[in-house]
């Protein structure tokens, strides 16, 4: 069994509890300075785990959810143990093969019981639970598609302004850098807000970050 977790204390607690239950556990140590979660896959697979307890947020490695599908395809039973409360994100993990999603606030006995049922070949998620999480994922996918379609309606200049807002620049600084008046930039910002159907610069920046948007050529 593999524990893939960037918080050492939590990982060690799981390791100790599982070993006391009689499981052969290997905690996957994440090398410092990692940039891609996919570089962890060969490290995990060398442990030849039947079950993997996977965190969704792996520090500099990013989104652990991207490991769900390749681990599942390799025959590993993936149980996500996460502090994320984003049920759309949970649904995505289920979509790509996760057997169960458990919040880190779950009693330790719930995690142990889940592992026990998996090793006994028993189901760990009801059909209703699975469908509910997939419903959240589908809704999230539709939301992202809608935001992306709105972002595509921005002009080249509006895209540049939004990118500068995402970098934390104020309207005055954007105007100075672009050698235009503040009134011109404010008009462009107003157009951006209208096209994205949001009421503030902060919301516009949030939308762009939410869908991983970057201007063309960036």
């Amino acid at each position: 069994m593999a524990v893939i977790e960037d918080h050492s204390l939590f990982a060690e607690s799981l390791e100790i509890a599982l070993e006391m239950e009689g499981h052969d556990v290997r905690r996957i140590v994440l090398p410092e300075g990692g940039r891609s979660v996919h570089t962890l896959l060969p490290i995990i697979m060398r442990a030849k785990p039947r079950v993997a307890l996977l965190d969704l947020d792996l520090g500099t490695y990013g989104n652990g959810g991207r490991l769900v599908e390749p681990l599942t395809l390799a025959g590993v039973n993936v149980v996500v143990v996460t502090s994320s409360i984003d049920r759309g994100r949970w649904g995505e993990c289920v979509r790509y093969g996760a057997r169960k999603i458990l919040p880190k606030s779950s009693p330790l006995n719930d995690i142990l019981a889940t592992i026990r049922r998996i090793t006994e070949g028993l189901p760990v998620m009801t059909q209703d639970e699975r469908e509910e999480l997939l419903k959240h994922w589908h809704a999230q996918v539709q939301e992202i598609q809608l935001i992306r379609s709105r972002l595509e309606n921005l002009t080249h200049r509006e895209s540049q302004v939004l990118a500068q807002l995402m970098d934390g620049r104020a309207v005055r600084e954007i105007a100075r850098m672009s050698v235009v008046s503040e009134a011109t930039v404010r008009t462009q910002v107003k157009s951006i807000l209208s096209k994205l159907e949001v009421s503030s610069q902060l919301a516009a920046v949030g939308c762009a970050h939410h869908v991983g948007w970057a201007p063309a050529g960036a």
Side-chain angles (χ1 to χ4, degrees):
M1 183 180 305
V3 176
I4 308 147
E5 164 68 59
D6 68 321
H7 291 93
S8 297
L9 182 59
F10 187 78
E12 288 172 7
S13 298
L14 282 178
E15 185 178 17
I16 292 169
L18 289 165
E19 285 179 343
M20 289 179 65
E21 284 273 305
H23 297 290
D24 181 15
V25 185
R26 177 174 176 185
R27 181 160 60 93
I28 305 300
V29 178
L30 310 186
E32 292 185 8
R35 295 292 179 183
S36 171
V37 73
H38 293 292
T39 61
L40 296 175
L41 189 59
I43 299 174
I44 298 167
M45 293 312 301
R46 278 199 292 271
K48 299 180 180 178
R50 180 181 174 189
V51 178
L53 299 182
L54 174 67
D55 189 9
L56 290 185
D57 298 294
L58 295 175
T60 59
Y61 285 91
N63 182 11
R66 293 177 180 170
L67 290 171
V68 173
E69 185 175 29
L71 286 174
T72 299
L73 291 175
V76 180
N77 293 284
V78 178
V79 176
V80 172
V81 184
T82 178
S83 58
S84 172
I85 59 173
D86 184 344
R87 297 184 76 80
R89 201 175 178 197
W90 292 17
E92 182 180 23
C93 292
V94 171
R95 165 67 177 80
Y96 289 109
R99 294 288 308 277
K100 183 75 172 177
I101 317 296
L102 293 167
K104 285 186 176 179
S105 58
S106 299
L108 181 58
N109 281 339
D110 287 358
I111 298 175
L112 297 177
T114 297
I115 302 302
R116 195 177 305 119
R117 289 182 66 84
I118 287 176
T119 57
E120 293 173 357
L122 299 173
V124 290
M125 185 182 297
T126 67
Q127 187 63 28
D128 286 346
E129 183 182 1
R130 176 182 174 81
E131 289 178 359
E132 191 240 341
L133 290 178
L134 289 174
K135 181 179 178 181
H136 282 286
W137 173 67
H138 283 298
Q140 190 174 82
V141 168
Q142 291 174 346
E143 178 190 13
I144 289 172
Q145 290 174 338
L146 178 60
I147 293 172
R148 284 192 174 278
S149 68
R150 291 172 179 171
L151 286 163
E152 289 173 0
N153 289 329
L154 299 181
T155 65
H156 177 67
R157 179 54 191 156
E158 289 166 354
S159 293
Q160 291 179 322
V161 170
L162 178 56
Q164 289 172 308
L165 292 174
M166 292 171 71
D167 286 338
R169 295 191 173 94
V171 167
R172 178 177 298 179
E173 185 180 3
I174 295 171
R176 179 178 56 78
M177 293 175 62
S178 305
V179 197
V180 297
S181 68
E182 286 187 41
T184 296
V185 176
R186 292 190 188 282
T187 298
Q188 292 164 338
V189 170
K190 185 177 180 180
S191 179
I192 292 170
L193 301 187
S194 176
K195 289 180 179 179
L196 296 185
E197 299 186 22
V198 295
S199 58
S200 69
Q201 294 178 30
L202 184 61
V205 169
C207 282
H209 279 304
H210 179 57
V211 301
W213 176 85

